[in-house]
Amino acid sequence: ELLMNFACSARARGLEDVLKHVLVFATDLETKELAEGLGLNTFFDEKNLGKMPKTEARAYGDRAFTMMMYAKVVCVQLVNFLGYNLLFQDVDIVWYQNPLTYFYDTDKSGDFDIYFQDDGAHSVRYAPYSANSGFYYVRHNDRTQYLFTTLLYNGDMIKAWDSHQQALVAILTDHASYYGLKVKVLGRDENEFPGGFHYHRRRDYMKKLVKGKEDDAYIFHMSWTHNKDNKLKFFKQMGEWYLNEKCVGKTLGEITEGGAVVTELPLVEPCCLAEPEITCYYSDKPSKTTCNGSPTIDKGGKTFW
């Protein structure tokens, strides 16, 4: 559902041409068909990815979560090794504008090898960078190729720590120190790449964002969220849910009711909404409209509006 919402929300904002440059590394055939039905390019490697879990992780760090972290290593390493610059992102993201334009403009982005969204959690575990491994841009060169080859060869760190993020940050630190890797973290106090930290900690910023008054934002990343159920609720409440309910949790065949696929983009018309579905769930979380009649999700939570 999150992948489909990403594609549908981008189309609603007129970014369908940018979607032609998206490559989805599918971990099952059902996801491959859904992605292609929305006009996304796909790659499915059954040998390396075919045994990944088909159901979402129920919580951060559980077995399904940790197994999927391996897929995050492989997909970036393969594209980087082929000599391409790339933007990696998780599926719990929506675009407000084409994020690639930021990294192409060196007056804005500067001259670095790799750029990360700030995770927001400035804890010792993710020190010194607090880099979020769910949204980052990589320029291909010898330094980044060595970085991701090293991460691939040290996959046991991910299993031991239950975290792709922690392993990547540790290796980033070594490569910056020993090999001159140039790392840039897009600070949490800036406005271009908001995520879970902004959602839970920067209310004034979120009020502008949900009202469409934050022109600097390129994306929103629903990080810092316990599980997929909450991600869907938070997106719906923010007015960032563009997926028709009849397409949620269904395969391509179920959506098309087993009929022959006769159009190039068979899922766009039945699944993608022109205007977002807005639903209130929690009064203490950012919302497009006032949700003061809804319960709170956090203990002692105060109403957002």
Side-chain angles (χ1 to χ4, degrees):
E1 296 92 342
L2 288 167
L3 171 64
M4 297 177 75
N5 183 64
F6 160 73
C8 290
S9 65
R11 288 185 173 279
R13 290 189 166 97
L15 297 171
E16 56 269 18
D17 286 342
V18 189
L19 290 179
K20 296 176 183 178
H21 299 281
V22 172
L23 175 62
V24 176
F25 277 74
T27 56
D28 56 66
L29 290 174
E30 292 83 358
T31 300
K32 180 178 185 294
E33 291 178 346
L34 290 171
E36 291 174 351
L38 290 167
L40 303 175
N41 302 296
T42 67
F43 177 83
F44 176 63
D45 177 4
E46 186 170 9
K47 181 178 180 180
N48 284 308
L49 304 178
K51 294 184 179 180
M52 294 293 166
K54 293 187 177 183
T55 57
E56 73 276 5
R58 297 310 303 168
Y60 179 90
D62 68 11
R63 183 174 181 274
F65 179 93
T66 304
M67 288 184 67
M68 291 304 296
M69 294 305 100
Y70 172 74
K72 294 177 68 167
V73 175
V74 172
C75 65
V76 174
Q77 192 273 335
L78 286 175
V79 176
N80 175 262
F81 205 79
L82 290 172
Y84 293 99
N85 299 341
L86 66 98
L87 173 66
F88 173 85
Q89 67 167 55
D90 290 341
V91 294
D92 56 343
I93 285 176
V94 293
W95 287 352
Y96 299 118
Q97 51 185 316
N98 179 2
L100 291 171
T101 59
Y102 176 88
F103 302 106
Y104 293 163
D105 185 350
T106 54
D107 289 337
K108 288 184 177 180
S109 60
D111 180 24
F112 293 87
D113 298 320
I114 188 166
Y115 302 76
F116 287 89
Q117 182 185 38
D118 191 332
D119 182 79
H122 290 181
S123 61
V124 173
R125 184 183 188 191
Y126 301 130
Y129 292 115
S130 294
N132 188 305
S133 61
F135 183 88
Y136 58 94
Y137 182 79
V138 184
R139 290 197 169 105
H140 173 265
N141 55 42
D142 290 343
R143 291 182 295 273
T144 57
Q145 185 168 310
Y146 188 32
L147 170 73
F148 287 105
T149 302
T150 302
L151 181 61
L152 180 68
Y153 289 167
N154 286 274
D156 57 328
M157 294 170 64
I158 298 172
K159 184 175 182 180
W161 292 343
D162 294 331
S163 173
H164 168 268
Q165 182 177 358
Q166 187 175 358
L168 178 55
V169 169
I171 293 172
L172 277 176
T173 305
D174 286 346
H175 280 241
S177 177
Y178 295 146
Y179 312 116
L181 182 75
K182 294 181 288 185
V183 182
K184 170 69 174 177
V185 175
L186 306 163
R188 67 183 187 181
D189 296 323
E190 300 172 6
N191 299 330
E192 289 89 347
F193 298 96
F197 171 81
H198 301 72
Y199 186 85
H200 295 287
R201 300 287 177 84
R202 292 186 60 188
R203 284 198 167 196
D204 290 343
Y205 175 86
M206 289 303 301
K207 286 179 179 180
K208 291 193 295 181
L209 186 68
V210 298
K211 292 298 184 183
K213 297 179 180 179
E214 184 48 72
D215 296 333
D216 292 336
Y218 286 86
I219 61 109
F220 182 83
H221 182 190
M222 192 60 77
S223 54
W224 279 32
T225 308
H226 183 63
N227 54 37
K228 191 185 79 170
D229 291 342
N230 281 348
K231 289 178 188 286
L232 268 59
K233 291 177 180 178
F234 292 167
F235 270 136
K236 289 179 180 180
Q237 186 159 301
M238 278 181 65
E240 296 296 346
W241 194 255
Y242 289 84
L243 180 62
N244 194 316
E245 187 65 27
K246 68 181 181 181
C247 297
V248 173
K250 295 183 179 179
T251 64
L252 173 67
E254 290 170 338
I255 295 170
T256 59
E257 297 180 344
V261 176
V262 295
T263 64
E264 185 177 347
L265 304 173
L267 298 183
V268 171
E269 183 175 349
C271 294
C272 291
L273 304 173
E275 297 294 332
E277 173 192 334
I278 302 173
T279 307
C280 284
Y281 292 98
Y282 306 111
S283 61
D284 56 336
K285 294 300 175 185
S287 56
K288 189 79 169 179
T289 59
T290 301
C291 294
N292 290 348
S294 301
T296 61
I297 186 173
D298 294 335
K299 184 177 181 180
K302 300 179 180 179
T303 57
F304 180 73
W305 291 106

